[in-house]
Amino acid sequence: METLKNLEIGKSAVISKVGGTGALRQHFLDMGMIPGVKVTMMKHAPMGDPLEIRVFNYELTLRKDEAAKIEIGYKEKLSDSNADFSDSTAEKETSTASNDLLTSHPGLGEDGKYHEKETETPLPDSTILTYALVGNQNCGKTTLFNQLTGSNQHVGNFPGVTIDRKDGVIIGHPKTLVTDLPGIYSMSPFTSEEIVSRNFVLKEKPKAILNILDASAIERSLYLTMQLLELDIPMVIALNMMDELTGNGGSININEMENLLGVPVVPISALKNEGVDELVQHAIHIAHFQEKPVPQDFCSKDEAGGAVHRAIHAVIHLIQDHAERAEIPIRFAASKIIEGDKIILNMLDLDFNEIEMLEHIVVQMEKESGLDRSAAIAKMRYSFINKICGKTVKKPHESKEHLRSEKIDKILTGKWTAIPAFILIMTTVFLLTFNVLGAFLQGLLENGIDFVTNLAA
């Protein structure tokens, strides 16, 4: 069987099997490398490793030895590879995304779907409203944190690890505390940063979650969002970089996305400080009134989705009392132990008979869905993401900046031009440093020292 490692540049293929073990394999699945998904080989690094592939409308970089673990079925020309995962595994949706990004959407206390679970009594006014700021890497999380807190922040380390922890008070709201967590792609720990972020959300129990998404890579960002929704913690979604999306002809129907996800969604541009005030209002409101996400059924109606749906609900009934004792959200716990998350399984402390029954449920699900346990859950999530995007997102055209970057990359990272370009750049830097600019600055410094020496004498 041919592997992704050998896929030619400009060609596409469908993933037939995902190899690897443990956290690495789970990481592949969380990033969208699922059986049945179409991938395109975009380019190789100058020395041939790593490789850049395109999956779910975003680019992903893999090492060659990682790509060798992913088997592919068939190839086709790049021009014919624009079909996506939803063609065969999710319900086909007709996009109803509004061209007007700034249409009004449910505000505080209005009849938005996500207000159905508002508690009867709000938290006392003296309560410190704690927030976890969660999002993928490079989605603008730190920029938003700085806009929210200004100078009202301090930096330390998470207990037991040397990973930076930033806490800050929202400007104008002294009874708040926001913790900027390390960037993560899923709640399945693969790196130490992901372990820290998951443990903080599960054990520190913040009053609410601020989930920041990159609007230009919505499919990738929503995977983490779906896992956060299962935690049943009040949450508001910040769609960042909306100015870039709309500037390139894209749009998102905010109202419809709120209805489908069951939580408030606020379009923002953290860099320009646009929409941040509205985000703060929603964040204060949902935390104070403890408005939890409206429960969603993420499973599609096809045969595989039905199998996952039945398995999740069977596991929920099996582990409900254990999850309550361990203080783990029941839906999150069910999904994770079906995936095979041993950390969550140990926390539930199931007896032998319950573990045996759990394995029978998983085996039956695998038989009906035709996928292994981890792939079935990942496919369920991406199917729901495709449904959301099909109904709410109008994709932007390729930006001028990206096109310009691609043209530059063809020279700077080209197979035959990269090494000469590197040598030319480094030679230029060397000459400027030690000949032209360096000699001038050296002379300037010497004259300055002579002047100060004479002055002191």
Side-chain angles (χ1 to χ4, degrees):
M1 182 68 71
E2 193 168 2
T3 66
L4 185 59
K5 172 184 175 181
N6 305 118
L7 185 62
E8 298 174 17
I9 296 174
K11 297 293 182 67
S12 296
V14 170
I15 296 173
S16 59
K17 183 180 178 181
V18 179
T21 58
L24 176 62
R25 184 174 188 275
Q26 186 62 53
H27 188 63
F28 287 156
L29 296 169
D30 290 344
M31 296 302 292
M33 310 299 289
I34 308 168
V37 168
K38 187 173 294 184
V39 293
T40 301
M41 182 64 68
M42 303 303 293
K43 58 186 176 183
H44 298 169
M47 302 300 290
D49 192 15
L51 316 173
E52 183 181 290
I53 64 169
R54 187 170 182 82
V55 57
F56 286 116
N57 298 307
Y58 64 87
E59 279 73 38
L60 179 64
T61 302
L62 294 176
R63 306 294 307 192
K64 265 192 171 181
D65 60 339
E66 294 173 341
K69 295 179 172 66
I70 300 170
E71 297 179 3
I72 54 177
Y74 64 84
K75 302 177 185 179
E76 59 190 28
K77 294 180 181 179
L78 179 59
S79 58
D80 298 326
S81 66
N82 51 12
D84 58 25
F85 188 54
S86 60
D87 288 344
S88 58
T89 59
E91 299 176 13
K92 292 185 180 180
E93 303 288 349
T94 302
S95 177
T96 58
S98 169
N99 288 324
D100 182 9
L101 167 71
L102 299 177
T103 52
S104 61
H105 58 282
L108 306 180
E110 296 183 18
D111 295 329
K113 184 177 179 181
Y114 55 82
H115 290 291
E116 294 176 6
K117 290 187 69 178
E118 184 172 328
T119 56
E120 293 182 3
T121 55
L123 296 175
D125 293 337
S126 59
T127 304
I128 301 294
L129 302 180
T130 54
Y131 298 89
L133 182 56
V134 188
N136 295 166
Q137 296 173 2
N138 302 316
C139 67
K141 192 162 49 63
T142 300
T143 304
L144 176 60
F145 178 76
N146 292 336
Q147 294 285 14
L148 291 172
T149 62
S151 59
N152 302 322
Q153 54 184 263
H154 60 272
V155 180
N157 287 329
F158 286 94
V161 290
T162 55
I163 296 174
D164 283 347
R165 168 178 180 159
K166 290 192 291 184
D167 298 298
V169 177
I170 298 176
I171 298 172
H173 300 275
K175 295 291 185 180
T176 61
L177 184 66
V178 181
T179 300
D180 182 17
L181 297 178
I184 60 173
Y185 287 110
S186 85
M187 293 292 282
S188 301
F190 178 65
T191 65
S192 57
E193 287 83 0
E194 289 178 329
I195 294 173
V196 163
S197 295
R198 185 169 91 162
N199 287 346
F200 181 88
V201 175
L202 286 177
K203 296 179 181 179
E204 297 294 328
K205 301 188 184 306
K207 295 293 186 293
I209 294 173
L210 299 178
N211 178 211
I212 181 168
L213 276 61
D214 180 353
S216 63
I218 193 76
E219 291 95 339
R220 181 184 65 192
S221 301
L222 280 171
Y223 191 86
L224 174 61
T225 300
M226 290 186 62
Q227 294 177 314
L228 295 175
L229 289 172
E230 293 178 337
L231 295 172
D232 201 34
I233 296 174
M235 185 167 82
V236 58
I237 292 174
L239 278 177
N240 194 26
M241 305 181 194
M242 286 297 295
D243 53 332
E244 295 182 18
L245 182 79
T246 56
N248 293 316
S251 64
I252 295 178
N253 188 324
I254 303 298
N255 294 357
E256 184 65 15
M257 184 170 285
E258 285 183 338
N259 288 331
L260 291 171
L261 293 175
V263 293
V265 179
V266 181
I268 70 167
S269 173
L271 188 62
K272 298 180 179 178
N273 200 24
E274 296 176 354
V276 176
D277 289 340
E278 182 184 357
L279 176 65
V280 170
Q281 291 175 8
H282 278 281
I284 299 296
H285 185 82
I286 63 163
H288 182 63
F289 289 97
Q290 285 298 283
E291 292 178 356
K292 297 181 179 181
V294 176
Q296 305 291 324
D297 186 1
F298 300 140
C299 303
S300 62
K301 295 174 182 161
D302 60 14
E303 185 176 348
V308 175
H309 174 86
R310 289 188 293 275
I312 288 175
H313 286 275
V315 172
I316 285 175
H317 290 300
L318 178 65
I319 68 170
Q320 186 164 3
D321 55 335
H322 294 273
E324 289 174 355
R325 282 197 297 270
E327 297 184 335
I328 304 173
I330 180 66
R331 167 79 189 214
F332 177 79
S335 297
K336 297 307 292 179
I337 62 175
I338 289 176
E339 278 183 356
D341 191 313
K342 289 183 172 53
I343 297 175
I344 298 297
L345 184 62
N346 292 335
M347 291 173 67
L348 292 177
D349 193 27
L350 302 178
D351 63 33
F352 176 79
N353 291 329
E354 289 170 322
I355 293 176
E356 195 173 52
M357 190 178 298
L358 171 66
E359 290 304 314
H360 283 305
I361 293 171
V362 171
V363 168
Q364 184 63 29
M365 180 201 70
E366 291 178 329
K367 180 180 178 181
E368 293 179 14
S369 66
L371 297 168
D372 66 86
R373 59 199 302 167
S374 299
I377 294 293
K379 178 182 174 183
M380 174 267 291
R381 291 189 176 122
Y382 274 109
S383 295
F384 187 73
I385 289 170
N386 272 280
K387 175 183 176 182
I388 292 174
C389 293
K391 285 187 173 182
T392 64
V393 179
K394 177 186 174 185
K395 294 190 179 298
H397 55 72
E398 195 169 14
S399 67
K400 294 179 181 178
E401 292 79 7
H402 187 266
L403 288 171
R404 183 168 60 247
S405 177
E406 286 292 323
K407 291 178 181 177
I408 296 172
D409 282 350
K410 285 182 180 179
I411 299 174
L412 297 183
T413 63
K415 183 176 182 180
W416 305 110
T417 58
I419 301 302
F422 171 76
I423 294 173
L424 178 62
I425 292 171
M426 293 306 296
T427 301
T428 303
V429 171
F430 184 85
L431 291 175
L432 289 174
T433 302
F434 294 100
N435 253 340
V436 185
L437 288 177
F440 170 75
L441 292 174
Q442 182 180 352
L444 200 63
L445 184 61
E446 288 176 351
N447 292 334
I449 292 174
D450 288 342
F451 174 76
V452 174
T453 302
N454 293 331
L455 191 65

